[in-house]
Amino acid sequence: MTVDNTNYVEYLIEHSKEGRKRSFIDLCEINLRNVYTIAYRLLSNEDEAQKVTLHTFVKSWEKIKEYNSKIPFSIWMKNTAIEYSIIVLNNRDADYTERKRPIKSSSEQEFLESHILSLPKDDRIIIILHDIEGYSYKEIYNFFENLEIDEIKSKLINTREYLINKISV
Amino acid sequence: MNCEEIKIGLHDFVDELSDDIMKHEIEVHLRTCDKCFNEYKKLKNLFDKLKDLTHTVEPPSGIIQALSSKLLENSIKDDLKEKIASDPGKIKEEQINLEKSILESSGAMRKSILSMTLMATGVSKSLPIRSRLNWSKIILILLPFVLLGVAYIVYDLQKNNSPWKIETAVGRILIDGKENITGTISENESLLSSDNSKAEILIPHVGSIEVNQNSIIILKKAKDGDNRITLEKGSVKIKNVSKEPDFAIDLKNSSIIDRGGELTVSVDEYGNAKVSAKIGFTEINNNSENYFLSEKYVCDIMNGEKPGTPYRSDAPDTLIKEIKNFDYNNGGDNSIDNIISTARKSDMLTLLAIIPRASQTKRKILFQAITNHFPPPANVTRMDILNANKKMLHLWWEEIREQLKSISDRK
């Protein structure tokens, strides 16, 4: 059974599996914003987000034959992007400091977004995956090596309280 | 439960993870406790804002470009690896040829290179070990690069498929102004047919071109993936079965690119062209703008003008007339209304093509008219279409084309 993929996307996937690069590149263009957005939010760094996006596409091309329509293609690519983003996050040098972001206040959205980008790594991953992207605790648990479900949950609750305080000032 | 417990429980409540008892208890509590209800509202407010966040980040341009060169680079590497793995004999042969050519090309260095080549192949043992190591090392390091270059040139050359064979010719045709003796046409040669002559040209790996009466074509490029002819006048029918479906027909101001399938292109004595896609889709390139033509659609290109609005080959005459009015007689909103009212389900791609050239009000009506038959795909929003976003229009175009195709396939 196929889920959610439009006819056109199905058509492109089929051609990509046959080895047509042009079709695959079209697929990437459709998913570009999706993939880049998640990578950028998780990493809070434009350069790394760009690298992860490119890497996600290249790897997806290499394993396109394994894709089987059990989940929508966009989710399949997004999962890959999340995996790589977390790998990049975990492999950062110990002295890597995330760039201090100015808190933008030109719109409510930007204000909230910049607060999320300034969160500590794990808190940021959890709120993005759970509350923005709609992943379940179980799925988020699978992306982490060292956090239990209860820890994920309590971190999320703290982050929500923190953000509520920020936006209701 | 007290307020503190409720505060924690609220999170499961908004995530819809609480069991029925818990849910009931929280609902009852919220009704009576203003403080907790306030907490609940704040949480809801955060969720509403988070929902609005999706897709606000603009990806940098250039990623797709980088991807396409990265994929190309990887595939060239893979090809080479495969070649080396599958055909060591051939590589050896190339290696020997290469060494030979180095020898021939440098007279003065001849002796030393000769001994170095011998060393590298392990024949000569009379020279000091140190220099032997250095030279063979250098050769070994350089070899892959030279091989890569040679492999690429060979790969590129084997893509040339000139001359093309003239399969059948009825009556008298002229190749470059001369009688057709060889039965072939090469790059930069022209083919001319008269009132009562016709020809069919076979293109290796690609398909065929039928040249009708009174036509002049020039073969510009004969290479797999980049076949190109110029149609000066008359008409041609292209059948393209290639896996690399790049076949281009150049007209005065436009280029027609066949993306695999069957199409006819004709140019009359005034330079007006008609492109008609039978099978597969076709791209029309004009002033570096791309126009797409689905199968069973026709596009007229008046001399020197932009391509006209495409219409279905079986469209009713009244519709075609109205499209001409719109394209060339400033038919405007009036024409759009008439086009919408005469258009059938299969004419929806015509309506889609009009959107970028219509006013905001008409765009809304066009959007509705098309949606009635083909709702836009999930990623395409009404706003995108009202703004005539090119990419989104194209996504919708692909979707409608696929559906029209499957309708006619079913028949």
Side-chain angles (χ1 to χ4, degrees):
Chain A
M1 202 192 82
T2 57
V3 215
D4 266 21
N5 291 334
T6 60
N7 285 342
Y8 177 51
V9 167
E10 277 298 326
Y11 164 89
L12 290 178
I13 293 170
E14 223 168 89
H15 277 68
S16 306
K17 284 186 177 173
E18 287 167 10
R20 296 204 193 177
K21 286 193 202 78
R22 192 59 244 169
S23 299
F24 180 73
I25 289 170
D26 285 349
L27 272 177
C28 292
E29 264 189 288
I30 296 174
N31 286 288
L32 174 61
R33 189 181 281 256
N34 232 331
V35 169
Y36 180 78
T37 305
I38 184 95
Y40 170 71
R41 290 208 177 120
L42 291 175
L43 295 158
S44 184
N45 176 315
E46 285 90 348
D47 288 346
E48 287 180 340
Q50 199 164 343
K51 277 180 200 147
V52 164
T53 305
L54 189 58
H55 194 63
T56 299
F57 289 158
V58 171
K59 287 295 159 189
S60 300
W61 167 250
E62 285 168 7
K63 56 177 192 160
I64 182 89
K65 289 211 168 91
E66 294 165 25
Y67 174 71
N68 56 14
S69 301
K70 272 191 191 131
I71 50 172
F73 189 76
S74 54
I75 304 283
W76 186 72
M77 260 194 171
K78 195 152 78 181
N79 286 344
T80 311
I82 294 170
E83 274 167 38
Y84 287 125
S85 300
I86 293 182
I87 290 175
V88 170
L89 282 167
N90 289 337
N91 286 336
R92 276 178 180 166
D93 295 339
D95 57 349
Y96 178 95
T97 42
E98 292 194 354
R99 191 160 63 85
K100 259 254 172 277
R101 294 186 167 273
I103 299 300
K104 296 182 188 164
S105 49
S106 54
S107 75
E108 281 189 334
Q109 282 189 9
E110 265 190 341
F111 183 68
L112 180 56
E113 170 125 27
S114 51
H115 272 298
I116 291 175
L117 289 175
S118 312
L119 287 169
K121 185 185 87 178
D122 286 350
D123 295 348
R124 189 171 67 227
I125 298 175
I126 294 168
I127 195 158
I128 290 170
L129 294 188
H130 192 278
D131 287 354
I132 300 183
E133 300 288 341
Y135 283 82
S136 69
Y137 290 118
K138 183 87 201 308
E139 287 167 316
I140 295 171
Y141 167 73
N142 287 335
F143 284 118
F144 278 104
E145 279 171 5
N146 49 359
L147 282 180
E148 293 303 317
I149 289 194
D150 281 345
E151 289 176 284
I152 292 174
K153 220 164 161 175
S154 75
K155 271 180 184 292
L156 179 64
I157 291 178
N158 288 336
T159 310
R160 282 176 181 173
E161 304 282 353
Y162 168 81
L163 289 176
I164 285 175
N165 280 331
K166 288 289 174 197
I167 57 174
S168 46
V169 170
Chain B
M1 282 206 291
N2 61 31
C3 289
E4 211 40 49
E5 285 166 324
I6 292 288
K7 203 174 164 191
I8 300 293
L10 269 179
H11 289 272
D12 272 348
F13 182 72
V14 291
D15 288 339
E16 291 174 358
L17 291 173
S18 12
D19 54 44
D20 287 349
I21 303 170
M22 182 78 171
K23 200 173 147 199
H24 181 74
E25 228 172 298
I26 291 176
E27 280 168 352
V28 170
H29 184 101
L30 287 183
R31 253 175 256 153
T32 52
C33 175
D34 280 353
K35 190 168 151 264
C36 288
F37 186 67
N38 207 16
E39 289 297 323
Y40 170 73
K41 274 204 313 205
K42 280 184 188 166
L43 206 49
K44 270 289 187 202
N45 175 35
L46 173 66
F47 274 53
D48 287 344
K49 293 215 167 99
L50 285 173
K51 217 174 276 161
D52 287 342
L53 274 189
T54 22
H55 300 312
T56 44
V57 186
E58 196 56 46
S61 59
I63 291 192
I64 293 295
Q65 190 65 40
L67 170 69
S68 104
S69 39
K70 181 93 191 151
L71 289 182
L72 188 71
E73 187 189 307
N74 286 355
S75 79
I76 289 175
K77 271 190 212 152
D78 288 350
D79 272 3
L80 200 77
K81 262 188 229 152
E82 234 169 67
K83 207 172 169 189
I84 290 171
S86 69
D87 204 353
K90 194 167 178 185
I91 298 294
K92 184 89 186 169
E93 208 172 278
E94 275 178 38
Q95 184 179 336
I96 290 167
N97 286 342
L98 204 70
E99 283 164 6
K100 246 194 221 159
S101 67
I102 294 173
L103 286 180
E104 279 158 11
S105 64
S106 55
M109 293 283 284
R110 189 171 184 132
K111 206 178 160 201
S112 67
I113 295 179
L114 179 64
S115 43
M116 141 202 132
T117 317
L118 291 175
M119 275 183 299
T121 47
V123 178
S124 159
K125 291 193 175 69
S126 61
L127 281 152
I129 289 174
R130 238 180 85 202
S131 75
R132 180 159 136 195
L133 261 181
N134 286 344
W135 276 111
S136 49
K137 253 188 196 161
I138 291 169
I139 281 239
L140 278 177
I141 292 166
L142 285 181
L143 200 61
F145 294 103
V146 180
L147 279 182
L148 196 79
V150 170
Y152 182 75
I153 292 167
V154 169
Y155 170 72
D156 201 51
L157 276 179
Q158 58 99 21
K159 277 167 63 179
N160 281 326
N161 56 32
S162 169
W164 292 352
K165 204 170 158 222
I166 298 170
E167 183 71 358
T168 50
V170 180
R172 193 162 158 259
I173 58 165
L174 296 180
I175 304 295
D176 240 13
K178 291 184 220 78
E179 211 63 50
N180 163 34
I181 308 167
T182 54
T184 58
I185 176 167
S186 308
E187 270 181 24
N188 292 321
E189 287 185 338
S190 65
L191 185 154
L192 189 147
S193 65
S194 67
D195 273 345
N196 44 21
S197 63
K198 272 179 165 182
E200 187 177 357
I201 305 171
L202 232 55
I203 316 165
H205 318 301
V206 173
S208 65
I209 313 175
E210 276 175 36
V211 185
N212 288 322
Q213 290 96 334
N214 280 323
S215 306
I216 302 175
I217 66 162
I218 301 165
L219 172 52
K220 280 291 183 198
K221 193 139 198 191
K223 189 170 181 180
D224 289 354
D226 188 12
N227 294 298
R228 196 166 267 280
I229 64 169
T230 302
L231 177 64
E232 295 275 321
K233 70 164 201 183
S235 81
V236 289
K237 181 174 180 181
I238 314 289
K239 284 183 190 158
N240 183 350
V241 293
S242 146
K243 272 218 156 178
E244 221 169 346
D246 289 292
F247 186 94
I249 302 136
D250 288 333
L251 307 175
K252 217 177 246 163
N253 292 309
S254 311
S255 230
I256 320 291
I257 299 148
D258 184 4
R259 293 283 176 202
E262 193 179 318
L263 84 154
T264 56
V265 183
S266 56
V267 177
D268 69 11
E269 52 193 307
Y270 309 107
N272 301 328
K274 188 189 270 299
V275 184
S276 166
K278 295 263 154 48
I279 304 170
F281 77 95
T282 296
E283 219 176 298
I284 302 173
N285 210 309
N286 174 287
N287 263 334
S288 67
E289 288 239 33
N290 282 334
Y291 302 80
F292 291 87
L293 191 64
S294 168
E295 53 269 280
K296 303 206 171 63
Y297 269 78
V298 180
C299 177
D300 291 319
I301 310 171
M302 295 308 214
N303 189 9
E305 305 257 354
K306 280 186 172 182
T309 306
Y311 54 87
R312 193 74 181 180
S313 54
D314 58 4
D317 289 344
T318 43
L319 181 61
I320 298 178
K321 213 177 128 212
E322 206 51 65
I323 289 170
K324 300 282 162 237
N325 264 339
F326 177 70
D327 281 349
Y328 304 109
N329 297 331
N330 294 323
D333 285 0
N334 217 350
S335 280
I336 295 183
D337 289 338
N338 289 338
I339 291 171
I340 293 175
S341 65
T342 23
R344 306 153 307 162
K345 185 174 183 179
S346 55
D347 296 318
M348 287 306 129
L349 289 178
T350 299
L351 299 198
L352 195 67
I354 291 176
I355 288 183
R357 298 162 58 191
S359 63
Q360 273 298 329
T361 14
K362 291 299 163 193
R363 282 182 188 175
K364 285 180 192 159
I365 302 170
L366 286 162
F367 176 84
Q368 199 45 53
I370 307 172
T371 306
N372 289 342
H373 293 291
F374 304 101
N379 317 3
V380 178
T381 65
R382 181 167 182 269
M383 241 6 245
D384 292 330
I385 298 303
L386 296 190
N387 290 332
N389 178 315
K390 260 191 180 168
K391 186 156 269 164
M392 294 303 162
L393 281 169
H394 188 64
L395 281 178
W396 202 4
W397 182 91
E398 292 279 1
E399 180 69 18
I400 298 174
R401 173 179 173 246
E402 281 297 314
Q403 291 199 26
L404 282 176
K405 225 167 74 180
S406 60
I407 294 168
S408 68
D409 285 351
R410 244 179 276 140
K411 277 180 198 162

